[in-house]
Every structure is written in structure tokens, then in C-alpha cells.
Amino acid sequence: MDNRRKRKLTYFTIGLLFLLSGVEYAVILPTIWRYLQTLEAAPYFLGLALSAFSLSGLLSGPLFGHWSDRTGATKKIILFANFFEIIGNFMYFMGFSKWLLLSSRLVAGIGTGAGSSIFGFLTRSTAPEDRATVFAAVMACRQAGLLIGPAFNIFLRLCDFHLGPFVVNKYTAPGLFMCLLWILLQLAVVFMYWDLPPLEKGKQGLVEEDNEEEKPLMVSQELVGSYGSVVTSSPPTHRTPAASNATLNHISPPLSPVPSESHESSSPFKNFSISREFLREEVVVLLAAQFITLFNQTALETMVTPLTQKYFSYGELENSVMYCLCGVEVIAGFLFVRWLSRRVAERVVLAIGLTICNISGVWCLIFLAKPLGGFPWQLTEFIIGVFLQVLGLPFVAVAQVSLFSKVTAEKTQGFSQGVRRSVGGLATILGPLWAGGLTENMYIMMGVMMALLALLTV
């Protein structure tokens, strides 16, 4: 089989993996609240269950990323990580107690750590100017899963039978369903995924020198870095056409030069410095964007199901339809961002997303903290708030992950993406806990979220 076909099948398998991660989220989120209620769990258990999934992903992401950077292999990492998804979802299906349910999400979350290895692989196998487009496509696969997931839920809620000692009903069926899907994905990874070598950049019209191993992919010619930071002067280096175009983003180089090392003989972490890599203004801003947007998103998602139950008496079917419609909107958003990123700088895409998120935050603070009017007005206010919140996500998500891959070293992308995803994981832990504890104090909950968003925008 030629390399071109292997590359296509590998990318297809990556798309399937992100698709399943979206499906899992979409089939479990609408029912987990009622599932916990059947197990006599306190309301705060919803936040704990959602946060447990993110906690284990937060810890496993950098470890898997470091593993892939050192070995250059991702296939065995994906196969290993998927075992945790299979076991965790089977535990969710068993559902004997609220503590087993909590443990199931903790175990399944370990599997999400493979995402950092995959993003590192994609960074090394794509040209910088194409990266936003590729990342948008991968993220759209997850959103497609979010769209398809509720459709599965419509049928899963009809389950009502026994499988040996286990009860299969509308609450336990999503766990069994996802367990089977992850087993099928294991087979797809075994037969359709290859550890491809990094992109031969000469074929892309890109020329790189050996001494660029620890250098970020985007380098500014100016002595004044981003946001007015002053960087040390260094001799001019040869720059790729992609990097030349990228100077519009005004991203500063590392604060100290890195000696030349051959690719074959050096470790990717030789001369690596965490402070030099991550404690730069542009990197901190992008990590802040990752944290704040995911914190706000997961807090609102945690709040949505209790809110719809309280004001609209929504059940599993209505919530599944709502998430399905949100999936359509997000996929359309990612497709638009994919088109837009070819025409404008990624900083512009990020600014558009933050503007929309700020409008959404103000709307939610005014109308969702204490819905006004009768049922039709409350429903309208809720729909507009959710629409605006979902609309801004693709712009911020694609822009920050693409920019982050360009301001951090290529050879250690697995670890760097693991750090980025861990920051996001921390946000998805704290977001549900914050919202779950303040469901009766909506102004405080949304006020802090709006303040964080305003800080990020500034």
C-alpha cells in the first residue's frame, strides 16, 4: 500500500476517533443527570461525575504526549488509551451505585489523553499554513459526533431488558453502546492506522535547517514581540514562506537560542525548558483562552439540563433534540471557520469568537440568570442564549489550537498539546463544579464567568 493511501486511512481513523468522542459526550450528557437521580445521588454529584472525566484526561494528556514525542509512535498509544474507554463505559453500563458511576467516568477519561499525541502527530504532518484547516476538520468530526449522538439516544431510550445480571434501560444503554463502539474503533486502529513519518516539507515548498528543532514554527523578524514584549536580538535565520506570512500575527521567538542538533541523534527534549516554552505572553494568552472558554462552556452545559427541567420540564428526548440542533450549529460554524481561516489571520478569527462570546455572556447574565416573562418569552431567551454561546465556540477553538501549535516547538508538540489539553481539562473540572454549586445563585455564577471572559478579551 502506498504512503498516500496510508495517510488517507490514518486521517480517516483519526476522524473516527474524534467522532466517537463526540458521540460519547452526546449520548451520556442528556441522561446522566436522571441516571444519578435513580441512584439517589445528591445534586453536586453531577458536577463530580462530569469533572472526573476531565480530571483523568488532564493527568494522562501530558504523559501520552511525552510518550509520543520520545518514541515518534502514536498507534500503540491510541490502542492503549482506548482500553480505558472500553472499561470505563462498561462500568458506566453496570451502574450499581453512584460511586461506580463516578469511577466509570474517571477511568474513561484516561482514554482522552491520546488526543495530545494525535494533535502532536497532526502538527508534524501538516504545513503551518494548512494547520487551521486540518484542525477545523478534526474538530468538526467531534462536533459531527455531538450531532449524531442525540439521534442514537432517541433509540437507546427505548431499551428495557436484561442482559444476564445487568439491566439495560435508557440510562445504562449509552454505556454498553459506547463500549461496543470503542471496541470497533480498536479494530479500525489496528488495520487502518499507520505511524507515518513527519511531513517531508521539501515537497511542500518548505525548507528547514537542522538547527530549527526547538524553534517555534512562527518567528517574528521584529525585535519587539507580541503585546509589546522585548526579545533578545539574534542573528537572522532562514524562514519558510509559511512563517513569513505568519509574521502578521506578531509572535515572538524563544528568549534564548537553541543549539543545532541532528534529528537522528538528539532527544526532542534535549535543551527543552518549560519556562522558555510556556512562560511567554503569546503562549499564556492562548492557554488562558483555552481555560476560560472551556470553563464557561462546561459551566453552562452543566446548568442547562437542570434549567430546562426546572423551567420547561424537559426530559431525555427534548434534551437530546436540543443537543442535536446545537451540533448542527457548531458543525456549520467549524465549516465557516475552515473557510475563513484561509482568508484572514487567525488572530482575527480569535477576536471574532471572543466578541460573540462576550455578547453571549451579557445575554445570559441578563436573561438566563433570572428568566423574564411567561413560557414563550423564557424559551426564546433561552434559545438565543444557547445559540450565541454555541456560535462563538468554533472561532475560539480553532484559532487558539492552531496558533498554539505555531508558537511552541514542533519536536515537542505531543507534550505541548498535552499541556494545552490539561489546561482545558482543568477548566472542564472546575466549570461543572462551579455551576453545580451555584445553581441557586445564577448571578454570582454567570458574573464571574463574564468577568473572566472580559479579562481574556482585554
Side-chain angles (χ1 to χ4, degrees), residues 20-31 142-153 174 178 319-320 323-324:
L20 288 198
S21 69
V23 170
E24 178 177 0
Y25 188 84
V27 298
I28 286 177
L29 188 64
T31 58
R142 185 177 187 275
Q143 298 306 321
L146 292 174
L147 173 61
I148 297 169
F152 288 128
N153 234 2
M178 289 310 308
N319 283 330
S320 294
Y323 284 115
C324 186

Side-chain angles (χ1 to χ4, degrees), residues 136 139-140 143 329-339 394 397-398:
M139 292 178 176
Q143 298 306 321
E329 181 188 353
V330 172
I331 289 176
F334 273 112
L335 292 176
F336 178 73
V337 170
R338 188 172 187 268
W339 171 85
V398 173

